[in-house]
């Protein structure tokens, strides 16, 4: 079957009035972004309170559906056959040939649901339903009408053209990115943080990211891995502004001045402070991490409290109640897992203590940080000044 358009279904709860425009505009923008690297001539537009993707000429159906399915806010994707508006006898032929091609076994139950956006059409919706229903029954003796619970709901929309559709391919749900502000993701090379970014983006939040790099202890390849992960997340979230912070001197200084068992917590607190600096500068409304309660020593309730204490922005931890297995499942589904498990060193693993504190005491941590007074401000400033900013996943987004 050759489909000429896709009708995009989206959840409409809470998107009345002004919100509806914002929601639909963001949806259109994100669909255009998702299709920008698919071969074909696509026209994404709003029409009569609906969003459509019109496909002009040849295109790869599977690839197109796969790309549209990445767009948050979409509940369903309906492949549409478009026909010219014709009088009813001709329309019957089009509908019969559609049903024959879509349901070749010819034994389903169905219901015709006609809608007339074009009121000049000389029959009303009820009359169209009856006429087309009869034509289908005549053509396929084993098909039956079921108005309450049909296998197939055949939608016939009469607009400038006739739109025929009956299949709904499920979309990812959520809200279109760009409808809920932005947040700063602390993105490491691991399994968790890309999943955390994906989950918050799914709620309509635009993502920025910060990665703490510790050359020469972490290699250029470790940084490239993080860039690869950002690229994979950007497939769903849209372009990501990635800040690569050189964290080496801060880390070495903490290593030199603070008790080694507190190293990870203190390091994490400095990561949060720096992430927050960039977040505020760019108007982000929160931080995002891939932390999950109890996963490692630095993620016990006490450790999370100690890390959290330096933040003034809300910290979103969408994986907080997930087991590793559940996180792995999502990372496989979204395609980040294979990159995450590549064996490149992480700046946290290099300086990690043999016996890190699992129940850090905030006062003690704050006291240890006093050992850093002499040079830390200067080191922080240098880290901020030397941060490299890269836009990941730009594609042709600029042209929208
Ligand atoms: P992940 O591998 O996804 O980071 P993890 O289990 O390795 O998860 P940790 O290394 O303990 O977790 O880090 C917890 C969180 O802190 C990460 O999910 C991430 O949000 C942040 N983080 C850790 N290291 C870095 C880093 N080098 N750059 C940016 N963020 C980091
Ligand atoms: Mg990690």
């Amino acid at each position: 079957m050759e489909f000429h358009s896709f009708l995009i279904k989206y959840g409409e709860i809470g998107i009345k009035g002004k919100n509806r425009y914002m929601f639909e505009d963001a949806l259109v923008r994100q669909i255009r972004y998702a299709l920008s690297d698919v071969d074909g001539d696509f026209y994404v537009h709003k029409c009569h309170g609906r969003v459509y993707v019109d496909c002009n000429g040849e295109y790869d159906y599977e690839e197109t559906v796969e790309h549209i399915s990445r767009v948050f806010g979409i509940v369903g994707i309906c492949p549409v056959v478009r026909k010219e508006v014709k009088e009813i006898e001709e329309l019957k032929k089009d509908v019969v040939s559609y049903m024959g091609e879509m349901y070749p076994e010819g034994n389903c139950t169905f219901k015709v649901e006609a809608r007339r956006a074009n009121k000049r059409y000389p029959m009303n919706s009820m009359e169209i339903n009856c006429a087309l229903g009869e034509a289908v029954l005549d053509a396929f003796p084993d098909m039956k009408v079921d108005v309450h619970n049909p296998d197939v709901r055949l939608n016939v929309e009469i607009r400038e053209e006739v739109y025929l559709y009956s299949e709904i391919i499920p979309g990812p749900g959520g809200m279109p990115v760009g409808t809920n502000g932005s947040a700063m993701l602390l993105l490491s090379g691991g399994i968790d943080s890309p999943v955390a970014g994906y989950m918050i983006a799914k709620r309509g939040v635009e993502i920025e990211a910060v990665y703490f790099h510790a050359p020469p202890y972490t290699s250029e390849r470790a940084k490239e891995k993080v860039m690869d992960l950002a690229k994979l997340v950007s497939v769903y979230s849209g372009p990501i502004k990635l800040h690569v912070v050189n964290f080496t001197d801060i880390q070495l200084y903490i290593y030199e001045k603070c008790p080694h068992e507190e190293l990870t917590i203190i390091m994490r607190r400095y990561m949060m402070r720096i992430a927050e600096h960039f977040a505020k500068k760019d108007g982000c409304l929160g931080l995002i991490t891939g932390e999950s309660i109890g996963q490692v020593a630095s993620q016990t309730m006490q450790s999370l409290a100690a890390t959290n204490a330096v933040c003034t922005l809300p910290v979103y931890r969408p994986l907080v109640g997930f087991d590793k297995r559940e996180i792995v499942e999502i990372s496989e589904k979204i395609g980040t897992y294979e990159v995450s498990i590549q064996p490149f060193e992480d700046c946290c693993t290099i300086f990690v203590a043999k016996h890190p504190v699992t129940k850090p005491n905030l006062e003690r941590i704050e006291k240890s940080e006093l050992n850093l007074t002499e040079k830390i401000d200067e080191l922080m400033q240098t880290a901020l000044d030397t941060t490299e900013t890269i836009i990941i996943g730009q594609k042709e987004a600029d042209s929208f």
Side-chain angles (χ1 to χ4, degrees):
M1 181 73 100
E2 190 188 336
F3 296 103
H4 312 104
S5 287
F6 295 93
L7 164 66
I8 306 300
K9 290 197 177 265
Y10 46 90
E12 300 197 22
I13 298 163
I15 56 163
K16 301 238 155 58
K18 222 162 108 195
N19 282 344
R20 184 182 182 106
Y21 281 100
M22 201 177 76
F23 189 100
E24 288 173 344
D25 288 346
L27 193 61
V28 167
R29 190 175 58 239
Q30 292 302 116
I31 297 172
R32 283 181 183 157
Y33 178 77
L35 289 173
S36 60
D37 54 0
V38 179
D39 275 342
D41 178 9
F42 302 104
Y43 176 49
V44 187
H45 62 107
K46 298 196 290 184
C47 181
H48 302 300
R50 295 275 179 90
V51 171
Y52 292 96
V53 179
D54 291 341
C55 316
N56 302 315
E58 300 220 338
Y59 69 98
D60 184 320
Y61 174 83
E62 302 291 333
E63 189 189 6
T64 303
V65 169
E66 200 256 308
H67 279 242
I68 300 175
S69 309
R70 297 168 179 173
V71 177
F72 298 132
I74 296 181
V75 173
I77 303 164
C78 307
V80 175
V81 171
R82 287 196 332 245
K83 296 281 184 191
E84 273 174 51
V85 180
K86 299 172 197 149
E87 52 94 16
I88 193 72
E89 289 310 312
E90 293 301 310
L91 187 54
K92 282 182 187 173
K93 288 183 196 158
D94 287 341
V95 163
V96 165
S97 95
Y98 174 91
M99 290 297 279
E101 230 182 298
M102 290 293 286
Y103 308 101
E105 292 87 46
N107 57 2
C108 54
T109 62
F110 75 98
K111 175 185 183 185
V112 182
E113 295 192 341
R115 259 180 304 271
R116 240 182 0 149
N118 175 354
K119 299 287 182 207
R120 280 173 318 211
Y121 201 78
M123 292 167 78
N124 69 25
S125 307
M126 272 313 280
E127 291 163 344
I128 302 171
N129 283 343
C130 292
L132 296 179
E134 263 172 36
V136 173
L137 289 173
D138 286 347
F140 307 101
D142 291 338
M143 285 196 189
K144 286 191 189 63
V145 172
D146 180 346
V147 289
H148 300 297
N149 197 17
D151 300 331
V152 173
R153 284 176 194 275
L154 170 62
N155 290 272
V156 181
E157 294 191 5
I158 303 186
R159 308 167 163 269
E160 303 74 42
E161 287 173 286
V162 178
Y163 286 58
L164 303 176
Y165 60 91
S166 56
E167 295 284 283
I168 304 181
I169 302 158
M175 303 178 80
V177 170
T179 54
N180 263 327
S182 63
M184 181 67 72
L185 168 66
L186 283 88
L187 181 62
S188 71
I191 294 169
D192 307 328
S193 43
V195 173
Y198 168 89
M199 289 180 70
I200 297 294
K202 186 169 178 213
R203 301 309 306 159
V205 178
E206 203 176 308
I207 303 293
E208 276 197 37
V210 53
Y211 165 58
F212 297 91
H213 186 40
Y217 303 96
T218 58
S219 64
E220 202 53 23
R221 193 58 198 90
K223 172 178 147 189
E224 280 162 19
K225 177 183 173 186
V226 171
M227 290 168 61
D228 290 346
L229 287 170
K231 181 93 210 268
L232 291 169
V233 176
S234 78
V235 159
Y236 306 93
S237 68
I240 294 178
K241 185 170 171 187
L242 172 68
H243 307 266
V244 180
V245 180
N246 185 327
F247 202 53
T248 314
D249 291 344
I250 293 176
Q251 227 167 350
L252 289 173
Y253 191 50
I254 299 172
Y255 192 72
E256 184 192 326
K257 298 284 186 185
C258 298
H260 287 183
E261 66 275 13
E262 292 173 2
L263 208 70
T264 310
I265 299 290
I266 295 176
M267 230 168 59
R268 228 3 96 61
R269 282 162 57 94
Y270 278 95
M271 285 186 182
M272 290 300 215
R273 289 176 172 115
I274 293 174
E276 193 165 280
H277 167 89
F278 289 112
K280 287 185 173 169
K281 201 162 150 228
D282 287 351
C284 294
L285 298 172
L287 305 176
I288 307 165
T289 75
E291 290 160 315
S292 142
I293 294 173
Q295 194 185 75
V296 285
S298 59
Q299 295 175 34
T300 61
M301 290 288 274
Q302 293 84 349
S303 299
L304 291 173
T307 309
N308 212 63
V310 298
C311 302
T312 60
L313 287 176
V315 182
Y316 296 104
R317 299 180 173 90
L319 309 181
V320 75
F322 281 23
D323 293 347
K324 196 74 185 184
R325 184 180 45 83
E326 295 167 305
I327 303 170
V328 164
E329 244 168 55
I330 303 176
S331 77
E332 285 174 336
K333 188 186 87 184
I334 67 174
T336 52
Y337 183 72
E338 290 302 323
V339 176
S340 289
I341 58 171
Q342 288 171 5
F344 296 104
E345 61 299 307
D346 178 321
C347 73
C348 306
T349 47
I350 284 161
F351 295 89
V352 89
K354 280 216 178 59
H355 301 289
V357 279
T358 54
K359 292 183 184 169
N361 171 292
L362 185 55
E363 271 169 39
R364 238 194 357 256
I365 297 279
E366 284 170 346
K367 201 152 151 247
S368 302
E369 283 183 1
L370 292 176
N371 299 343
L372 304 169
T373 317
E374 194 188 334
K375 270 171 55 182
I376 194 72
D377 287 347
E378 184 193 325
L379 293 176
M380 287 272 277
Q381 194 55 52
T382 308
L384 299 180
D385 292 344
T386 57
T387 292
E388 183 191 356
T389 304
I390 314 161
I391 309 281
I392 307 275
Q394 190 69 27
K395 298 198 236 176
E396 292 103 79
D398 280 346
S399 62
F400 298 143

